[in-house]
Amino acid sequence: MASKKNIDLIKDPLWDNNPITVQVLGICSALAITAELKASIVMAVSVMFVLGVGNVIISLMKNMIPSSIRIIAQLVVVATLVIIVDLTLKAFMPDLAKTLSVFIGLIITNCIIMGRFEAFALDPNNTPLQSFMDGIGNAWGYGLILVIVGFFRELLGSGTLFGFPVLGDPVEKTGLYALGYENNGFMLLAPMALITVGLIIWVQRAKNKSLIETH
C-alpha cells in the first residue's frame, strides 16, 4: 500500500500536477464558492468523497460497463454520490447548504471527476485501491487551492476566518482597523478569486521552472 507509485498518487496532485493550477480543471467552482473559508473546506471534502468513492466504484465496474455507455454509467455514479452529499448537507448543515446552493449539484459536471474516471479508474492496469488513492490525491490537490483562495478572500475581504473576526472590529475601530485598515470588498468578487488563483500559479512556476510552458 505504501509503494512509491501509491505515494505519488497522493503527493503529485498536491502541487506539481495540481488539477487546478497545472491541469486547469475545476476552475468554475474554485471561483464561485471561495468567498468563505468554511464553504471552501466543505466543497473540498464533498469533492474528496465523490471522487474517492466514485473512482473505486468505476474501477470495480470497469469490466462490466460497455464502452458505448461508459459516460452514462459514470454520470449515474457521480450523480448518486452528489445526491448523498447534498442530502447530508441539508440534514446537518442547512445554512451552508443554502450558501453552496447549486454548486454542490454542479460537482456532477466537475471536469476533474470525469477526467479521473476516464484516465485512471477505467484503466485495466489500475486496481480499486490505486483508483481510490488517485481520487483522494486529486481531490486533495483541488481542495488545497480552494482553501488557500478561501483563506485570503475571507480574511482580506471580510476581516474574518470561519465567520469570526480576526483583524479587529471595523465598527469599534479596534485591532488593525484602529490603524486605518479597511476591508477590501473586491476580494469578495469572483474576479479576485481568478486573480488569487493566478498568483498561486505564478508562485508555483517561480519555484518549479519545469512547469513553465515554452510553446
Side-chain angles (χ1 to χ4, degrees):
M1 181 173 179
S3 66
K4 183 179 184 304
K5 180 178 179 179
N6 289 348
I7 293 174
D8 288 344
L9 290 174
I10 297 290
K11 186 182 67 176
D12 286 352
L14 288 182
W15 194 246
D16 290 338
N17 195 25
N18 188 279
I20 290 181
T21 60
V22 177
Q23 302 174 36
V24 197
L25 299 175
I27 293 291
C28 297
S29 56
L31 304 184
I33 53 84
T34 51
E36 297 179 2
L37 181 57
K38 187 176 181 180
S40 302
I41 292 175
V42 170
M43 177 61 85
V45 173
S46 300
V47 171
M48 188 175 292
F49 168 76
V50 173
L51 186 49
V53 176
N55 250 12
V56 172
I57 294 173
I58 294 297
S59 182
L60 289 171
M61 296 174 58
K62 59 189 171 190
N63 294 325
M64 297 181 286
I65 303 175
S67 176
S68 58
I69 63 167
R70 71 185 191 284
I71 299 298
I72 297 174
Q74 292 168 18
L75 286 173
V76 169
V77 170
V78 71
T80 302
L81 294 172
V82 167
I83 289 172
I84 292 173
V85 170
D86 189 38
L87 293 178
T88 301
L89 287 177
K90 288 178 178 175
F92 296 101
M93 307 175 77
D95 292 338
L96 194 56
K98 290 180 181 177
T99 300
L100 291 172
S101 184
V102 299
F103 296 107
I104 287 295
L106 288 177
I107 291 176
I108 296 172
T109 63
N110 191 310
C111 304
I112 299 172
I113 294 174
M114 297 301 287
R116 298 323 299 170
F117 285 179
E118 279 285 302
F120 198 92
L122 283 176
D123 190 325
N125 297 315
N126 297 323
T127 67
L129 175 60
Q130 290 172 333
S131 297
F132 175 74
M133 299 182 79
D134 174 78
I136 293 296
N138 277 276
W140 196 358
Y142 166 84
L144 175 64
I145 300 303
L146 258 64
V147 170
I148 293 174
V149 175
F151 174 86
F152 284 108
R153 289 187 71 191
E154 181 174 350
L155 179 65
L156 301 178
S158 303
T160 62
L161 288 175
F162 296 107
F164 296 102
V166 295
L167 300 182
D169 189 324
V171 178
E172 300 293 334
K173 297 297 180 185
T174 60
L176 283 182
Y177 300 104
L179 303 176
Y181 177 80
E182 296 289 342
N183 291 330
N184 186 345
F186 284 115
M187 290 299 294
L188 301 178
L189 303 178
M192 290 307 297
L194 185 62
I195 292 174
T196 306
V197 171
L199 290 173
I200 295 172
I201 292 173
W202 174 68
V203 171
Q204 185 182 35
R205 280 154 179 72
K207 288 182 173 295
N208 187 352
K209 303 294 184 184
S210 66
L211 295 176
I212 299 176
E213 297 179 5
T214 56
H215 60 275

